[in-house]
Amino acid sequence: DHFDYLDRWSATASVTRMLGSGGRSFLRIEAGPAQDRAVEQNISRGLFVEGEGFRPNRGIHEGSYFSSGAVLELNPQVTGLFVNRGVGVRLRYDRADGGLQWQRLEARVAARRPIGPLDLHARVDAGTLIGDAVPQVLFEIGQWEGLSAYRYKEFGGDRAASGRALLGYTLPVLRAPIRLPNRLFIPGIAPGVAVGVQGGWAEASSEAAWRALRDLGTFTDTSTGMQMPISRPTDGIRASGEVLLTLFNGTLALGVARPLDRSGPWRFTGRIGQGF
C-alpha cells in the first residue's frame, strides 16, 4: 500500500459548473471545515507483507481549519487513472485558514496520441506552496510518484515538477475478449512492450519548507551521524528510464527501471492503469 495516511474529518459543500457544449470539462468550487490528526502505526505487518513490513506513517501538523479550493478540468477523461486519447488539463488551488494555514497550487497536462502502430503517453505535473508549508501538503516524488528507479517518496519540497513519456506497442495477438461459461468473459490479454523516460525536480525554498520536510520524518546518516529528512530536495533534475511488458492494452505493466542521471542498478517496477 504505497500511501501515507492521516485522520482527516471534514464536511465539504461544492458547486460544479459543466463547461462546453459536450460537458466534457468542468469548474468546481468547494469549501468546508476540516481537522487533521496523526495516525500512529499500530500493527507492524500484514498477512502478505514481506521484508520490513509496513512503513510508519509520515509526520503531519495537527489542527483544525477551514478548507476551500477550486478545480478546473478540461477533458478530465484524459487526466484520470486511465488515459484516453487526446489532451487533458487540470488546475487545482487549495487553501486552509485557521489553526493550520497553507495554499497549494497544482497544474497537470496529460496526453495520449497514436503514432502509427505505437501509442505515445505524456504527462507533466507542477506545483507550489504559497506561504506557509506543512508536512501533509508538501510535494513528494519517488518510485510510485513518477521516478520509478528511485525509492519511495525519496524527494520532496514545497515546489516540484515532473514529466513522463511512455511509448508503447501492442502486439497484434490475443486482442479479442476471452469468453467464459455463463456469458462471462475477460478482456483480451493484448500483450505489448513499452519504454519510458521520467524526470523530476523538487526544492525547499525556505527554512519553513525545510522544517516541514524534517517533520515528515528523519533518519540518521551513517557517514555523518546527522539527522536527515527522509524526503529531500532533488538537488537538480533526477531522471529514470524503464522497459516494460504490458498486458490488457497497457492496463497492467511490469518491467525494470534504472536511474539515468547517475549510475545505478536496475530495479523491478510495475503499475496498474494506463495513467502514469
Side-chain angles (χ1 to χ4, degrees):
D1 190 359
H2 305 293
F3 300 96
D4 289 291
Y5 292 91
L6 53 73
D7 181 6
R8 173 171 292 166
W9 293 77
S10 65
T12 303
S14 66
V15 176
T16 302
R17 174 66 182 267
M18 307 306 296
L19 305 176
S21 57
R24 299 177 59 187
S25 303
F26 67 86
L27 172 66
R28 183 173 68 247
I29 299 174
E30 52 194 35
Q35 181 185 65
D36 287 359
R37 293 183 293 186
V39 176
E40 298 295 334
Q41 181 179 359
N42 52 49
I43 56 175
S44 61
R45 57 192 306 113
L47 292 175
F48 307 105
V49 177
E50 298 180 356
E52 298 178 357
F54 295 134
R55 302 182 188 93
N57 276 323
R58 300 194 169 199
I60 71 163
H61 289 178
E62 296 186 317
S64 300
Y65 55 93
F66 186 82
S67 173
S68 58
V71 182
L72 173 65
E73 292 210 28
L74 308 178
N75 291 336
Q77 72 277 8
V78 186
T79 57
L81 176 62
F82 295 94
V83 182
N84 291 336
R85 291 179 177 177
V87 177
V89 177
R90 184 177 190 266
L91 301 174
R92 183 176 182 97
Y93 171 75
D94 290 290
R95 68 177 294 152
D97 296 282
L100 293 177
Q101 298 184 8
W102 73 73
Q103 296 182 70
R104 176 175 165 132
L105 182 63
E106 304 172 53
R108 174 190 298 168
V109 179
R112 181 183 179 189
R113 179 179 180 182
I115 304 176
L118 305 177
D119 215 12
L120 175 65
H121 302 249
R123 172 173 156 180
V124 176
D125 293 86
T128 184
L129 298 184
I130 304 170
D132 294 337
V134 298
Q136 58 263 45
V137 295
L138 290 172
F139 300 95
E140 294 179 276
I141 307 172
Q143 182 178 9
W144 304 105
E145 300 82 29
L147 285 175
S148 56
Y150 286 89
R151 296 193 305 272
Y152 173 77
K153 293 185 178 180
E154 184 171 347
F155 306 109
D158 63 328
R159 299 175 182 175
S162 66
R164 321 173 205 179
L166 186 76
L167 190 64
Y169 173 68
T170 301
L171 300 173
V173 295
L174 301 176
R175 293 188 176 186
I178 300 172
R179 297 186 180 277
L180 301 175
N182 298 321
R183 298 183 180 180
L184 300 176
F185 70 92
I186 61 175
I189 297 174
V193 293
V195 294
V197 292
Q198 307 154 348
W201 164 85
E203 96 169 342
S205 64
S206 65
E207 180 56 35
W210 276 105
R211 286 196 300 270
L213 282 174
R214 288 190 287 267
D215 288 343
L216 282 173
T218 60
F219 70 97
T220 302
D221 188 330
T222 56
S223 61
T224 64
M226 298 178 61
Q227 290 293 306
M228 303 296 294
I230 55 178
S231 288
R232 68 186 192 280
T234 56
D235 190 23
I237 296 176
R238 303 287 180 154
S240 63
E242 60 185 6
V243 180
L244 303 168
L245 170 65
T246 62
L247 300 171
F248 306 111
N249 284 309
T251 303
L252 175 65
L254 301 170
V256 291
R258 60 155 295 169
L260 298 179
D261 57 288
R262 60 176 177 84
S263 61
W266 291 93
R267 63 189 303 169
F268 172 79
T269 186
R271 58 178 169 267
I272 297 175
Q274 292 175 335
F276 61 96

